[in-house]
Amino acid sequence: MEEDPGILEQKEENFERAILKESPKSMNASNLDDSATSRPGTSPIDHDNDSLRKASLSPLNPSPKLGEVHQPKAVNGSHIEYQSPSSFPTLSDTHPSPPKSPQLPANIDDDQGNEPATAKSFDRSTSPTSALRRNKGAAYRKVGEDGVCKMHKYSLYETATRYYVVGGDIMDRRFRILKIDRTAESGDLSIAEDDIVYTKKEMNQLLNAVDDGNRSSGGMKLKCSTWGILGFIRFTGAYYMLVITKRSQVAMIGGHYIYQVDGTELVSLTTPSSSRFRADRNAEEARFLGILNNLDLSRSFYFSYSYNITRSLQYNIVRERQALRDGLAHPAEPDFNAMFVWNDYLLEPAVETLKNTYDWCIPVVHGFIDQATLSIYGRTVYITVIARRSRFFAGARFLKRGANDLGYVANDVETEQIVSEMLTTSFHAPGPRLFANPNYTSYVQHRGSIPLYWTQDNTGVTPKPDIELNLVDPFYGAAALHFDNLFERYGAPIYVLNLVKARERTPRESKLLVEFTNAINYLNQFLPPEKKLIYKAWDMSRASKSRDQDVIGTLEAIAEEVMTKTGFFRNGDDLTDEPKLQNGVARTNCIDCLDRTNAAQFVIGKRALGHQLHALGVIDDTSIDYDTDAVNLFTHMYHDHGDTIAIQYGGSHLVNTMETYRKINQWTSHSRDMVESFKRYYNNSFLDGQRQEAYNLFLGNYIFAQGQPMLWDLATDYYLHHADPRAWSEKRRRNYIKWFTPAFLEQREMPPLVQPQGALAKKPSDFFDDYWLEYYRPLAVSSFQKIFSYKMNSTLRYIPSKSTQEYRYDLSPFRVRTGHDQEIPEKKKSRKGVKILEPQEEDSDDTSSIITTQDHHHHHHHAPAKRTSIQKWLQPQYNEKSPAYPHHHHHGIMKEPNPSPPTTTEPPKRQGITFIPSDKTLLTQWTLDQFVSNSLNPSITSTESAEYERYINHPLNLPLVLSNAPPPNPSLDFLGYVNSISPESVANLNSTEEDIADYADFLTVSENPLTVVEEDMPKKRYKAYRQWLRGKSLFKQQRVDPEYSQA
């Protein structure tokens, strides 16, 4: 596509004026005319105030046309020549083939594909240039035209009076420039945006000209290289610019990468001579900077250049398909969810000044993002967990409770799990059918504090302050606003799972239970019957401490009910697939929305994972068993998710994890729970105030104003998070009966698939979605070990490598495994280790120990430490004499079958076998394993066989005892025992009444002898049972449930 010659000549004139107009003669005049906007038909660089010398330019090479790959002339300083440009492939029914890769030089930097943490600056060349001539065929485009231009990295240059931000695309071919004035008045932000897209040579010449024009004042220097601009903020004086200096990849969705912010830098937009703006000269400014530094932006902040992570996958796909239906290549405007854009306040100055704000400034979300791979016999499934924390009513645990009068609740987090099979990378199906890939599914959950007016005062020393209901609203206005917002975001129905305590000695949480139940009942009066709030209150804490309640089983039943009510999202085409939309959401809460809530959300997410995998055709059922590799991987992801949310809100990791509620390994977690509880108490008491001030400053809840109190002088931040009471009289009162918006309750439907029409029908798929360049990086040299998709966590890491060498390990991630399936590293022998010799057996093939010493005459090495499960014992065993495995030896708990009877041959002498448990608890487990092994594989030794043969061959001619005469040849011990008993001692053997009563009670058998009633407890025979009720094990192990020791 070539431009009109008249328009091209006008652009050439603009470019010439951008370079040639800035001469020393025009410096004084141009200083009087400097603004953030440019005249029509000219570039904003025309208005630059720097003194520039006349510069001459060499002929410019034409830019590539749309759909062509612009071939660079050099890579890392090495000259490369190409035959012809190659075009991007379009999606079709066949497997897409990437563009032909050019032959790159041997000395190319291999780190290009490794996604470095810091951005590489613009590669400037300071070589002199010659005459200015423009090639008439150059594609010298403007922003907004086809194919132009998403920037992925930026370079910040500075002169004495200006900052220049140079942005480049991912291929390092097209560039744009932004000018920031450093001499603007205090409180003013002067930014000039150039909407012309330059080639690398053009940008290089432009920067050299600016550098030459500022030689007298020090020239132009590179200040830093960045990955994006977070926004602009000011306190008492001039503005600061916050930029991203380090990043790391954390996920990939549809070929679009998601990054975590690992480093930031705050750049002051002033000149060094502006001493009145310097922080060291202004104590208040320095204190504001110190407060902002309390917010660690390098933890749990995420962004993406091309994927809207502030919205769910369902929302993004539906919006893209709706735009295609309306005849648009892309949605008209960016639609970021302001609730989750944490730098929204910093973006406000940029929105007011820039024409293309989000080309330069990047929205970030706060929360948690993780991605892992599920490997199913070669099929690859990605599991992505995205948690988005709301910026409204955000804060620390005890400082932000309940809801504000705008309906926003504390600790509001939206959790989305995306499950996708990576047969194709993008959101498009072959054809191409745009945004109709059926291999993408998602499910969304919500957590948030109870939407009532309640607080907790943590000024005292108690770790659990009393809960106070500050305002009793008979119309429950805050709850009405909150649930109406949930209807807007997720639709209906809303499943409310309330996990607070119902019975307490001193009412705390139970007060909120009663009030929240009343609020739900009131609001449900006015909703349509099929759209009513589904309310489930369950005391999860009490159930977890009770032996007759199954916590996980109850949560599984609730999860299945939730999935039936809300459904989940699956993309696809109406003709060939069965697309689904999620209508409604599960809203889970406890008192903190941390420990119990995370466990409940995990179980719901696990059930949703089963439905998603079933929809993808991976499994034939909708449920997945615990202790499988898939669920273990999902458990670790949700555990990290819960830890991150807990640190952000409570200041410490989770105290109660899924292991706590499943009642496994509790004895090892007591010390950890105590440490985490103390950390949470310490952070809540001493550090939450500083963190809350940083939140208020960064989010714009507090804005400095002359004559108003300073942030650190405020006694409370209540009025920073609630509406101004003086404005209540001006607002229209909300209807107490029709508290909801009827449009939000309507069923959501997937827009039908529409192929692009008109001029869009001829466009390739990369015109609608630039995933190809971002994900495949055609001109970057890399290796599989450096690509993110190959480095992410996977179920393959749960497979013990030594077990796979035995040809008996089931690689399915849905196979139930015990803790003994996994290999354990060899530990150093402790000083108090117990060394136990196994009972000597004469079968040389019996390798029933856990750690064995093999025959040095055959192997000359020791077998590694490993554990074996019962499932593994039951798998087919291969005899070492088998021709298929001539050199394969099995060493496990299970004995090898002996082809010959043990009584006919004498086995060779057995080597000594040693068992060294890693701790004392393994001793009993080893004994139990021996018992199970012997039960499954009964065998006898030669000694036992000989004893049995002597028994059955013994003559049955023993005489009956008919006289008091001693037998012939009696034993001396027997004679001594008989002579020691006198007739008097035998006559005195009389039974007491107590003995007779005990004997009679022993003979009495109840109707149900297996039932132990309370009357049986004092009896001696139930001593072990009484100890078991107090928490002791029947196998003389450690206490299995220490929390019940006080029961």
Side-chain angles (χ1 to χ4, degrees):
M1 181 186 297
E2 296 186 0
E3 298 191 23
D4 182 75
I7 299 178
L8 184 58
E9 291 178 1
Q10 182 182 7
K11 292 183 178 180
E12 294 174 6
E13 294 174 359
N14 296 342
F15 185 80
E16 294 175 9
R17 285 197 299 269
I19 305 301
L20 301 178
K21 181 181 177 182
E22 308 299 341
S23 61
K25 296 180 180 180
S26 62
M27 176 179 177
N28 296 332
S30 63
N31 282 340
L32 302 177
D33 183 19
D34 186 20
S35 62
T37 59
S38 60
R39 294 191 300 271
T42 63
S43 166
I45 304 300
D46 295 348
H47 307 286
D48 198 345
N49 301 328
D50 298 333
S51 58
L52 306 177
R53 295 184 292 107
K54 287 187 177 181
S56 59
L57 305 176
S58 61
L60 303 176
N61 294 325
S63 301
K65 296 181 180 180
L66 178 65
E68 293 182 352
V69 179
H70 176 73
Q71 307 295 347
K73 301 304 181 185
V75 177
N76 289 350
S78 299
H79 183 71
I80 304 177
E81 294 184 356
Y82 302 103
Q83 298 294 332
S84 62
S86 57
S87 59
F88 296 135
T90 58
L91 289 179
S92 62
D93 293 332
T94 60
H95 191 277
S97 58
K100 294 182 179 179
S101 301
Q103 296 297 327
L104 299 177
N107 60 347
I108 191 169
D109 186 6
D110 190 54
D111 289 336
Q112 288 185 6
N114 198 20
E115 288 296 335
T118 57
K120 184 180 179 181
S121 63
F122 178 78
D123 188 12
R124 284 187 57 197
S125 174
T126 58
S127 59
T129 56
S130 57
L132 171 63
R133 291 194 305 272
R134 290 276 309 171
N135 190 332
K136 297 299 182 181
Y140 194 40
R141 303 180 182 277
K142 275 194 172 185
V143 174
E145 298 180 2
D146 294 346
V148 180
C149 161
K150 286 187 177 179
M151 295 176 289
H152 285 249
K153 54 184 175 180
Y154 308 80
S155 299
L156 180 62
Y157 295 92
E158 63 174 339
T159 64
T161 57
R162 301 287 182 270
Y163 279 123
Y164 294 91
V165 181
V166 177
D169 65 353
I170 193 170
M171 299 299 292
D172 206 25
R173 303 240 182 89
R174 299 177 179 180
F175 301 88
R176 294 170 59 190
I177 191 168
L178 188 73
K179 184 193 70 174
I180 304 175
D181 188 4
R182 301 175 64 184
T183 60
E185 294 294 330
S186 175
D188 294 336
L189 183 62
S190 178
I191 304 178
E193 178 185 6
D194 191 350
D195 59 354
I196 295 178
V197 179
Y198 299 92
T199 64
K200 190 170 187 178
K201 180 181 290 186
E202 294 167 350
M203 181 58 65
N204 189 43
Q205 295 166 351
L206 181 60
L207 294 180
N208 288 339
V210 175
D211 189 15
D212 293 340
N214 288 271
R215 290 296 184 186
S216 59
S217 58
M220 184 174 63
K221 301 177 181 178
L222 176 67
K223 184 173 181 62
C224 64
S225 300
T226 76
W227 294 112
I229 302 174
L230 291 180
F232 305 88
I233 188 174
R234 64 180 294 263
F235 307 119
T236 63
Y239 273 92
Y240 296 87
M241 180 172 62
L242 188 62
V243 297
I244 302 172
T245 57
K246 293 182 180 181
R247 72 178 188 186
S248 59
Q249 295 174 344
V250 292
M252 189 277 296
I253 302 176
H256 305 281
Y257 280 112
I258 299 177
Y259 302 92
Q260 176 177 287
V261 178
D262 292 334
T264 59
E265 182 176 346
L266 196 64
V267 180
S268 177
L269 302 182
T270 60
T271 58
S273 59
S274 302
S275 58
R276 66 182 187 278
F277 296 143
R278 293 175 57 180
D280 55 354
R281 304 289 181 88
N282 189 333
E284 295 175 350
E285 186 82 4
R287 187 160 184 179
F288 277 119
L289 289 173
I291 292 175
L292 187 63
N293 287 333
N294 289 330
L295 180 62
D296 188 2
L297 293 175
S298 63
R299 296 179 61 182
S300 306
F301 283 87
Y302 307 91
F303 69 94
S304 177
Y305 297 106
S306 53
Y307 180 76
N308 185 2
I309 58 176
T310 66
R311 298 284 188 177
S312 65
L313 177 64
Q314 172 176 310
Y315 184 93
N316 291 332
I317 294 294
V318 170
R319 190 165 184 264
E320 292 286 353
R321 293 179 63 161
Q322 187 62 44
L324 292 175
R325 188 179 182 185
D326 297 337
L328 303 175
H330 304 282
E333 295 292 337
D335 188 19
F336 299 107
N337 191 344
M339 171 177 282
F340 302 120
V341 179
W342 269 63
N343 58 332
D344 183 80
Y345 172 66
L346 278 71
L347 295 177
E348 290 180 2
V351 171
E352 297 175 358
T353 308
L354 299 177
K355 292 176 293 184
N356 305 283
T357 303
Y358 298 106
D359 290 350
W360 300 95
C361 301
I362 302 175
V364 294
V365 300
H366 187 37
F368 172 82
I369 296 180
D370 190 18
Q371 190 173 52
T373 304
L374 199 64
S375 180
I376 309 104
Y377 297 116
R379 299 176 66 178
T380 301
V381 175
Y382 281 0
I383 303 177
T384 310
V385 176
I386 303 177
R388 309 174 181 95
R389 177 176 292 279
S390 172
R391 68 181 178 92
F392 299 127
F393 205 51
R397 180 188 179 198
F398 285 134
L399 302 181
K400 290 294 167 284
R401 292 295 212 183
N404 62 6
D405 51 12
L406 301 177
Y408 300 115
V409 298
N411 200 20
D412 188 319
V413 180
E414 174 185 286
T415 301
E416 178 183 16
Q417 63 185 54
I418 300 174
V419 181
S420 56
E421 185 176 3
M422 302 311 295
L423 293 177
T424 55
T425 303
S426 70
F427 294 130
H428 317 300
R433 291 174 291 161
L434 299 177
F435 301 100
N437 190 344
N439 296 323
Y440 278 88
T441 65
S442 75
Y443 182 74
V444 178
Q445 300 184 66
H446 177 269
R447 73 169 72 185
S449 187
I450 297 177
L452 301 172
Y453 298 113
W454 61 280
T455 58
Q456 281 183 283
D457 184 11
N458 67 330
T459 56
V461 296
T462 174
K464 292 185 178 182
D466 293 335
I467 295 176
E468 299 179 3
L469 280 166
N470 307 105
L471 177 63
V472 179
D473 181 5
F475 303 105
Y476 301 101
L481 289 170
H482 173 67
F483 284 110
D484 192 38
N485 178 258
L486 292 185
F487 284 140
E488 179 183 7
R489 291 157 59 184
Y490 309 112
I494 304 296
Y495 194 104
V496 182
L497 179 58
N498 187 11
L499 303 176
V500 299
K501 297 178 181 178
R503 296 173 58 184
E504 298 173 294
R505 294 180 180 178
T506 303
R508 293 180 62 257
E509 299 183 15
S510 55
K511 294 189 295 185
L512 295 177
L513 172 64
V514 175
E515 192 67 14
F516 193 25
T517 304
N518 294 337
I520 296 293
N521 294 334
Y522 170 81
L523 297 177
N524 268 339
Q525 297 179 84
F526 314 111
L527 285 172
E530 67 279 4
K531 306 296 183 181
K532 290 184 181 295
L533 301 173
I534 304 173
Y535 181 66
K536 174 71 174 180
W538 180 51
D539 190 344
M540 182 175 173
S541 178
R542 186 177 184 86
S544 65
K545 298 177 182 178
S546 175
R547 290 186 174 275
D548 58 352
Q549 293 194 43
D550 183 7
V551 176
I552 302 302
T554 304
L555 290 177
E556 288 281 358
I558 295 174
E560 184 59 33
E561 183 181 1
V562 168
M563 292 302 302
T564 303
K565 298 291 183 182
T566 64
F568 63 97
F569 168 72
R570 186 199 178 189
N571 196 16
D573 184 4
D574 296 331
L575 301 178
T576 58
D577 309 307
E578 297 182 2
K580 302 177 182 178
L581 285 183
Q582 178 178 347
N583 282 275
V585 73
R587 184 199 188 277
T588 310
N589 72 267
C590 53
I591 197 66
D592 293 322
C593 300
L594 296 180
D595 301 349
R596 287 169 281 178
T597 297
N598 198 73
Q601 283 198 336
F602 163 77
V603 177
I604 297 175
K606 170 182 168 293
R607 177 65 65 171
L609 177 64
H611 283 267
Q612 291 173 283
L613 293 175
H614 176 72
L616 295 177
V618 176
I619 57 178
D620 56 0
D621 197 4
T622 59
S623 63
I624 312 176
D625 295 328
Y626 287 91
D627 298 320
T628 59
D629 291 344
V631 173
N632 289 339
L633 179 70
F634 193 65
T635 303
H636 292 163
M637 296 179 69
Y638 254 84
H639 187 272
D640 295 339
H641 160 262
D643 276 342
T644 304
I645 298 301
I647 290 175
Q648 295 168 5
Y649 184 61
S652 71
H653 295 85
L654 291 173
V655 175
N656 298 313
T657 62
M658 276 302 299
E659 292 182 350
T660 305
Y661 295 109
R662 291 186 64 192
K663 300 179 181 179
I664 55 177
N665 293 337
Q666 290 192 23
W667 67 275
T668 62
S669 63
H670 265 207
S671 58
R672 173 193 173 277
D673 294 348
M674 293 176 59
V675 172
E676 295 302 331
S677 298
F678 179 76
K679 287 171 58 179
R680 185 173 295 184
Y681 169 72
Y682 176 80
N683 283 278
N684 297 156
S685 301
F686 303 104
L687 301 180
D688 280 357
Q690 300 177 9
R691 196 151 50 99
Q692 188 65 54
E693 287 184 346
Y695 282 146
N696 292 335
L697 192 62
F698 181 79
L699 296 175
N701 298 325
Y702 173 85
I703 301 176
F704 170 80
Q706 201 68 35
Q708 297 296 325
M710 292 294 178
L711 176 60
W712 49 85
D713 293 333
L714 295 177
T716 177
D717 65 348
Y718 177 87
Y719 297 105
L720 301 181
H721 294 269
H722 291 73
D724 189 351
R726 294 170 294 186
W728 289 353
S729 59
E730 303 175 1
K731 293 184 178 180
R732 184 178 179 181
R733 181 175 298 176
R734 192 178 181 88
N735 195 312
Y736 295 139
I737 296 178
K738 294 183 179 180
W739 57 269
F740 56 91
T741 305
F744 298 159
L745 302 180
E746 296 179 359
Q747 187 81 3
R748 306 189 177 192
E749 298 180 355
M750 174 75 79
L753 180 64
V754 177
Q755 294 296 335
Q757 303 296 326
L760 298 178
K762 300 180 181 180
K763 301 293 185 182
S765 60
D766 62 281
F767 177 81
F768 304 92
D769 185 6
D770 60 350
Y771 75 94
W772 182 272
L773 295 180
E774 185 174 2
Y775 180 65
Y776 290 102
R777 305 286 298 277
L779 299 184
V781 178
S782 183
S783 60
F784 285 148
Q785 290 76 13
K786 295 181 179 180
I787 297 178
F788 172 76
S789 302
Y790 286 84
K791 295 189 296 184
M792 70 173 64
N793 192 18
S794 172
T795 51
L796 296 177
R797 299 187 180 183
Y798 291 83
I799 299 175
S801 59
K802 297 299 178 61
S803 297
T804 58
Q805 298 174 3
E806 299 177 4
Y807 306 100
R808 294 183 300 172
Y809 196 89
D810 190 351
L811 298 179
S812 171
F814 308 107
R815 173 73 177 271
V816 178
R817 314 186 195 279
T818 62
H820 307 295
D821 280 310
Q822 308 298 330
E823 290 184 348
I824 57 174
E826 295 184 3
K827 299 181 179 179
K828 296 181 179 180
K829 182 179 178 181
S830 58
R831 291 181 300 175
K832 297 184 180 180
V834 180
K835 183 175 181 180
I836 301 176
L837 294 178
E838 284 190 9
Q840 294 293 328
E841 297 190 17
E842 300 180 22
D843 187 0
S844 62
D845 291 334
D846 179 13
T847 55
S848 58
S849 64
I850 294 182
I851 302 179
T852 62
T853 303
Q854 299 183 10
D855 190 354
H856 291 271
H857 297 286
H858 298 281
H859 299 284
H860 303 286
H861 69 279
H862 296 279
K866 60 184 178 181
R867 295 175 176 175
T868 310
S869 65
I870 295 179
Q871 289 86 356
K872 193 172 178 181
W873 300 340
L874 300 179
Q875 292 178 355
Q877 303 294 314
Y878 300 97
N879 195 310
E880 63 182 23
K881 297 181 180 180
S882 174
Y885 303 91
H887 302 291
H888 188 69
H889 297 268
H890 297 284
H891 299 278
I893 296 181
M894 181 176 175
K895 297 180 180 180
E896 297 294 331
N898 207 338
S900 58
T903 57
T904 58
T905 60
E906 186 69 17
K909 187 176 180 180
R910 178 176 176 171
Q911 300 289 335
I913 298 178
T914 306
F915 168 69
I916 306 177
S918 58
D919 53 34
K920 294 183 180 180
T921 59
L922 289 181
L923 174 60
T924 306
Q925 183 63 43
W926 171 76
T927 307
L928 179 60
D929 292 343
Q930 277 289 100
F931 173 77
V932 176
S933 174
N934 294 336
S935 300
L936 295 176
N937 304 276
S939 62
I940 58 175
T941 63
S942 57
T943 304
E944 294 171 341
S945 177
E947 179 69 19
Y948 180 73
E949 183 179 5
R950 177 174 175 270
Y951 168 74
I952 60 177
N953 294 330
H954 195 278
L956 301 179
N957 54 1
L958 297 178
L960 298 178
V961 179
L962 301 176
S963 64
N964 293 333
N969 302 323
S971 174
L972 297 179
D973 295 335
F974 176 73
L975 292 178
Y977 171 74
V978 171
N979 296 331
S980 63
I981 301 176
S982 61
E984 292 79 8
S985 60
V986 176
N988 294 331
L989 292 177
N990 297 324
S991 300
T992 62
E993 295 181 358
E994 183 179 358
D995 296 335
I996 297 175
D998 290 342
Y999 182 67
D1001 181 68
F1002 178 77
L1003 295 179
T1004 302
V1005 180
S1006 60
E1007 297 181 357
N1008 190 358
L1010 297 180
T1011 301
V1012 181
V1013 296
E1014 188 175 357
E1015 291 77 9
D1016 298 331
M1017 299 304 294
K1019 299 177 182 178
K1020 295 181 179 180
R1021 74 183 75 170
Y1022 298 107
K1023 178 180 179 181
Y1025 178 70
R1026 291 195 304 271
Q1027 293 177 347
W1028 179 74
L1029 289 179
R1030 289 196 296 267
K1032 293 184 178 181
S1033 173
L1034 295 176
F1035 295 98
K1036 301 297 183 183
Q1037 287 184 352
Q1038 73 285 351
R1039 296 188 176 186
V1040 293
D1041 291 327
E1043 67 178 10
Y1044 301 117
S1045 59
Q1046 303 298 328

